[in-house]
Amino acid sequence: MITIGQLARYIGVSTKTIRVYHDKGLFSEPDRDASGYRRYDAKDAIDLIKIRTLAEAGVPLSSIKDLRSATEQEFQQALREIDNNLTTRIRELRATQGRLRELAAGHLAPLPTEVGAHLQHLARWGFTPRWVDLQRDLWILVFATHPDRAINLFHDQAETLADLALRQLFLDYDRAHDLKADDPRIDNLARRIAKAIQDRYGPDEPPELDAASAIPALIQDTVNVSSPAWQRVDTLIRAHLGA
């Protein structure tokens, strides 16, 4: 007969762990001797080894008690289920690891690969870092709130920028950021953009997220608040298109 401390050392667990197993009903608590100490025998040591082995294999403590009293068929089925759960958990952990690595690389939210490639094109085409960062943030918002429609909107913008004349229009808009709101170049830029919208879509409405969605207005407010000149352009474009 051995003490709980001796049992813990022999099996390679802590006395606290043994007490937890007792509390959870996984490991029968032996009678105490005349001095009030628990005394364990060989069977207890064998039982503890089995419990420790299952726990180290990833079997939840809540399942170990049932497994120890299960038939061989039930035991094998339970292990298969645990294995499947672990496989799912490993997949989730790898996905989490991937997101952490994206965060470490400075990407606060994932975007489709083609959007990331498009953002790299913007920099090569001469758009300012401010514009590229703004586009990234706004696409993150759009894809997070309207994943079903975001890709169509993105394709529409990508097709627009594939046109050299329209791309130049976007570049001019980007560079107008620091102009004063009453700069005469603002009026000319707004007319050009309004005409480009009319030429591209005709009587049809440009693609949008959702008529009832507040996100488009939120996006436009975000753009306008960053530059009085851009806010003025937006006001004039709306006036031209409404005329």
Side-chain angles (χ1 to χ4, degrees):
M1 303 292 285
I2 59 177
T3 66
I4 188 172
Q6 290 172 314
L7 178 65
R9 287 193 300 273
Y10 292 146
I11 307 305
V13 297
S14 67
T15 56
K16 181 179 179 180
T17 296
I18 294 176
R19 292 190 180 99
V20 169
Y21 292 165
H22 284 323
D23 291 341
K24 292 185 175 296
L26 304 180
F27 187 35
S28 298
E29 189 170 352
D31 295 331
R32 296 174 183 266
D33 62 15
S35 300
Y37 294 102
R38 298 183 183 93
R39 296 293 178 175
Y40 298 85
D41 58 19
K43 180 179 180 303
D44 294 322
I46 294 170
D47 287 344
L48 182 57
I49 289 172
K50 291 179 179 179
I51 294 169
R52 185 201 63 184
T53 301
L54 289 169
E56 289 180 346
V59 178
L61 295 184
S62 58
S63 301
I64 289 177
K65 184 176 181 180
D66 291 337
L67 279 180
R68 296 197 59 225
S69 61
T71 64
E72 179 62 22
Q73 183 177 0
E74 291 170 339
F75 185 81
Q76 293 299 326
Q77 177 60 32
L79 289 185
R80 282 193 293 271
E81 291 176 0
I82 292 169
D83 182 60
N84 291 336
N85 291 336
L86 285 173
T87 299
T88 300
R89 181 60 178 152
I90 289 170
R91 198 160 45 236
E92 292 172 348
L93 287 172
R94 285 175 176 165
T96 299
Q97 184 183 54
R99 287 193 291 271
L100 287 173
R101 288 175 177 174
E102 288 181 345
L103 287 173
H107 305 306
L108 293 180
L111 285 169
T113 302
E114 58 183 317
V115 179
H118 173 74
L119 293 171
Q120 293 177 354
H121 288 322
L122 293 181
R124 288 197 293 269
W125 288 335
F127 286 92
T128 64
R130 176 197 58 240
W131 177 266
V132 176
D133 289 344
L134 177 63
Q135 290 296 304
R136 177 181 292 106
D137 289 346
L138 294 181
W139 281 122
I140 286 172
L141 175 61
V142 172
F143 274 91
T145 58
H146 295 76
D148 55 332
R149 300 196 180 194
I151 197 65
N152 290 332
L153 283 177
F154 166 73
H155 286 158
D156 181 71
Q157 186 186 95
E159 291 171 6
T160 298
L161 291 179
D163 184 302
L164 291 178
L166 295 178
R167 186 191 306 165
Q168 185 59 53
L169 200 55
F170 273 82
L171 284 165
D172 292 344
Y173 181 85
D174 176 16
R175 293 161 186 164
H177 179 276
D178 297 325
L179 295 178
K180 292 183 178 180
D182 58 357
D183 190 301
R185 287 172 288 183
I186 297 295
D187 292 5
N188 179 55
L189 177 61
R191 282 195 296 271
R192 290 164 56 208
I193 293 176
K195 183 177 185 305
I197 293 173
Q198 291 170 333
D199 290 344
R200 180 167 172 76
Y201 301 106
D204 298 326
E205 291 291 331
E208 59 180 14
L209 291 176
D210 187 335
S213 174
I215 297 300
L218 184 64
I219 290 174
Q220 192 60 57
D221 287 345
T222 301
V223 172
N224 289 348
V225 77
S226 67
S227 165
W230 282 355
Q231 184 175 15
R232 174 70 175 157
V233 170
D234 179 48
T235 300
L236 291 173
I237 290 174
R238 293 175 186 274
H240 285 305
L241 293 178

